[in-house]
Amino acid sequence: ILPIIPDLINPLRHSICSKDLDIMVATLKCMRELVLSNPGVGEALVPYYKVLLYPLGPYLEIRRNLGDAMDYSQGKGADVASCVVDTLEVLEKTGGAGAGAQMKALIPTYESCMKTF
């Protein structure tokens, strides 16, 4: 998987930037599976964070205010904001030492999932 990562960046970027939320959710799930499929993939994606993660910032802020109603899309994994948060957490956990700081620089509203003492 590691040798073809540079070839995957452009298609991933185009599908993340698409306005179709279903495509974006599927791409984020695919990115999580890609990173978890092989050790070292998360670290190999760190140089491409600027290209891949910058478009995710606005979607991190999308939250549905339904009042007393239930949002079943979160349980199905179809909610864009929860998919973005889940993907960012996986990327931070597998990205190595400087991944969290670089993610915070690209998406200032992102809160790290890693504990710092």
Side-chain angles (χ1 to χ4, degrees):
I1 294 176
L2 291 175
I4 63 163
I5 285 183
D7 297 331
L8 295 176
I9 299 304
N10 204 18
L12 286 173
R13 164 75 178 191
H14 286 295
S15 53
I16 286 173
C17 291
S18 76
K19 300 295 180 186
D20 188 352
L21 297 181
D22 292 332
I23 291 174
M24 189 173 181
V25 168
T27 303
L28 293 172
K29 289 179 182 179
C30 179
M31 281 180 63
R32 286 195 303 262
E33 290 294 323
L34 177 70
V35 168
L36 296 173
S37 68
N38 195 358
V41 174
E43 292 177 6
L45 286 177
V46 172
Y48 303 104
Y49 275 3
K50 187 172 185 178
V51 175
L52 293 174
L53 301 185
Y54 186 73
L56 297 178
Y59 295 99
L60 190 61
E61 298 300 317
I62 296 176
R63 299 277 191 229
R64 292 185 186 164
N65 185 2
L66 301 175
D68 292 339
M70 296 288 288
D71 183 12
Y72 293 103
S73 65
Q74 288 179 344
K76 296 177 188 175
D79 181 42
V80 177
S82 62
C83 277
V84 169
V85 170
D86 292 344
T87 303
L88 291 176
E89 288 177 355
V90 168
L91 290 173
E92 183 180 6
K93 289 177 183 177
T94 59
Q102 191 171 357
M103 292 170 76
K104 186 70 174 169
L106 292 170
I107 306 172
T109 57
Y110 174 68
E111 295 181 18
S112 176
C113 66
M114 305 295 281
K115 292 183 180 182
T116 56
F117 295 103

